[in-house]
Amino acid sequence: MNKLEKDCTYPLNYWQLSDSKREEIDKFCPLNNLKFDFQGLYKFIYKEPVIIYNGKDFQLTLSMSEDYEDYEDYEDYENNEDYEDNDIESDVTIFGGGISLSIVKDNIVKDQVYLANNSIYLSDFAVAYQRYFISPQGEVYTLYLIETEEGICPMFWKHYKIDNQKMKFVLQDMLLNVTDGELYQIIYPNQFNVISNKPVTKIDPKELKSCEDEYNKEEYYSCYIDIYNHYNNRLKQKINLLNKNNNTIKKSYSKIQQKMASDCLMLPPPVTGNRRKTDPYLSNVMFCLIQNYKQEITDIEKQLAH
């Protein structure tokens, strides 16, 4: 996603360049070369779900889905003029519609994932949309994008596998891009990683306290990652110190961290990359991890005191 963001961001003088120069720049972004016929697909499935895989034990079907999650509320969705004016049989662009993939057994939908939408209005200068890919092995990938005058930014990537015993789409991993230069990688069931091209800096105690005091589960602020790094590093230091002083019982940072991540990743993940969904999710997961780090640090300090 870092590479996609780099290749799909326009240079500062993009809109002053000639059409031919802009076309050359556009070719660097692989997202511009995706052949995704949303119009044709939407027409194909709008009357009823269509079976795309008919196996011995289950079927996979594509169907239309309500796409109001990307609006401020359901009323905004129902009042959206673009949605109301859609004519499925015409050649105009379809707005406000979504596409889902379902596991069906004995004519009963067992599970469903949200696959794609087309040009959700965010502002006069930005639209969002989601695309998908289903591999020959039946693995499902989705990518949520935001397009502005500055280029196309990949925001949210998800990867599912199908469990044909439980009849479930099992989320394997996700990448969230919410701040410049930092990605949040989640690998289920027990890995939470921060991928950053920025140097880790020591946070000022006053800034640390200020950010913690203003913590809001419904928002996400860049200082949260500083708090997370602070307590994560302190936990590593305390474990190393405890292990150095104790030759009989050794603590494993990786096992402790994975146990904490496993507990915190029980929170239901967002369906799409909508910031109103991803921000509270990331905020809650990081808050959960930070609280666990604090408790473990306190427990280790008590052991060191004896």
Side-chain angles (χ1 to χ4, degrees):
M1 282 180 66
N2 275 333
K3 188 175 188 312
L4 280 178
E5 184 173 15
K6 180 181 177 182
D7 291 344
C8 298
T9 298
Y10 299 146
L12 295 176
N13 65 338
Y14 177 83
W15 295 106
Q16 283 73 52
L17 299 174
S18 65
D19 290 345
S20 60
K21 286 292 185 181
R22 289 204 297 267
E23 287 179 4
E24 289 180 17
I25 292 171
D26 291 345
K27 291 178 182 179
F28 285 108
C29 176
L31 298 172
N32 289 322
N33 302 320
L34 290 177
K35 303 299 181 182
F36 195 92
D37 185 8
F38 190 93
Q39 179 84 12
L41 181 57
Y42 209 65
K43 287 182 178 181
F44 183 56
I45 64 174
Y46 84 95
K47 289 184 179 180
E48 61 184 11
V50 174
I51 297 174
I52 61 170
Y53 170 79
N54 194 1
K56 179 181 177 182
D57 300 318
F58 65 94
Q59 295 82 41
L60 293 177
T61 66
L62 286 177
S63 61
M64 291 171 58
S65 62
E66 298 283 313
D67 197 27
Y68 52 83
E69 177 175 311
D70 274 296
Y71 292 90
E72 290 291 342
D73 53 44
Y74 188 73
E75 184 178 350
D76 288 344
Y77 169 76
E78 288 191 315
N79 293 335
N80 178 32
E81 293 179 0
D82 287 331
Y83 181 75
E84 290 179 350
D85 292 342
N86 282 335
D87 179 359
I88 298 293
E89 297 296 346
S90 74
D91 291 328
V92 300
T93 301
I94 303 297
F95 292 98
I99 296 173
S100 292
L101 179 70
S102 301
I103 298 175
V104 179
K105 182 177 176 63
D106 300 328
N107 295 319
I108 298 174
V109 175
K110 296 294 185 179
D111 199 14
Q112 189 175 78
V113 292
Y114 188 81
L115 289 184
N117 57 38
N118 197 42
S119 297
I120 299 300
Y121 172 87
L122 297 180
S123 72
D124 290 341
F125 304 101
V127 294
Y129 48 94
Q130 183 164 300
R131 296 294 181 256
Y132 74 91
F133 172 73
I134 303 175
S135 75
Q137 294 75 33
E139 299 190 23
V140 181
Y141 303 84
T142 64
L143 182 62
Y144 183 91
L145 309 157
I146 291 180
E147 187 166 356
T148 69
E149 289 186 332
E150 297 176 350
I152 304 172
C153 182
M155 300 295 294
F156 190 39
W157 176 90
K158 297 170 83 173
H159 168 214
Y160 299 88
K161 284 187 178 180
I162 296 173
D163 185 330
N164 55 13
Q165 300 298 318
K166 296 180 179 179
M167 296 293 155
K168 292 284 185 182
F169 291 105
V170 181
L171 185 59
Q172 301 294 298
D173 47 311
M174 303 192 304
L175 281 173
L176 295 96
N177 177 18
V178 297
T179 56
D180 182 36
E182 289 170 341
L183 290 176
Y184 295 87
Q185 179 190 50
I186 294 173
I187 303 173
Y188 288 92
N190 58 11
Q191 290 188 51
F192 179 88
N193 303 312
V194 180
I195 303 172
S196 176
N197 57 17
K198 298 179 179 179
V200 177
T201 57
K202 188 175 180 179
I203 186 170
D204 181 88
K206 290 183 180 179
E207 293 179 6
L208 178 69
K209 186 177 186 309
S210 174
C211 188
E212 287 192 87
D213 289 345
E214 295 177 2
Y215 174 79
N216 182 345
K217 290 183 179 180
E218 297 302 317
E219 300 287 344
Y220 172 85
Y221 296 101
S222 58
C223 69
Y224 290 173
I225 189 59
D226 295 327
I227 300 175
Y228 172 83
N229 285 332
H230 172 79
Y231 286 108
N232 190 26
N233 289 333
R234 278 198 65 192
L235 177 59
K236 291 178 182 178
Q237 292 168 3
K238 294 297 181 181
I239 289 175
N240 289 336
L241 183 58
L242 181 66
N243 289 339
K244 184 178 179 181
N245 294 345
N246 191 328
N247 294 322
T248 57
I249 301 175
K250 299 291 185 181
K251 279 184 175 284
S252 167
Y253 163 78
S254 61
K255 289 183 179 179
I256 290 173
Q257 202 273 344
Q258 287 180 7
K259 172 62 171 64
M260 293 176 180
S262 178
D263 293 340
C264 297
L265 294 178
M266 294 296 288
L267 294 166
V271 176
T272 73
N274 185 314
R275 290 294 296 268
R276 291 189 300 277
K277 305 297 181 180
T278 57
D279 283 3
Y281 173 76
L282 259 185
S283 183
N284 275 287
V285 169
M286 296 185 75
F287 181 77
C288 174
L289 286 166
I290 289 166
Q291 296 307 110
N292 280 322
Y293 290 165
K294 285 182 176 181
Q295 184 59 55
E296 184 67 26
I297 289 168
T298 299
D299 292 344
I300 292 175
E301 286 176 341
K302 289 180 181 177
Q303 295 178 56
L304 288 169
H306 286 83

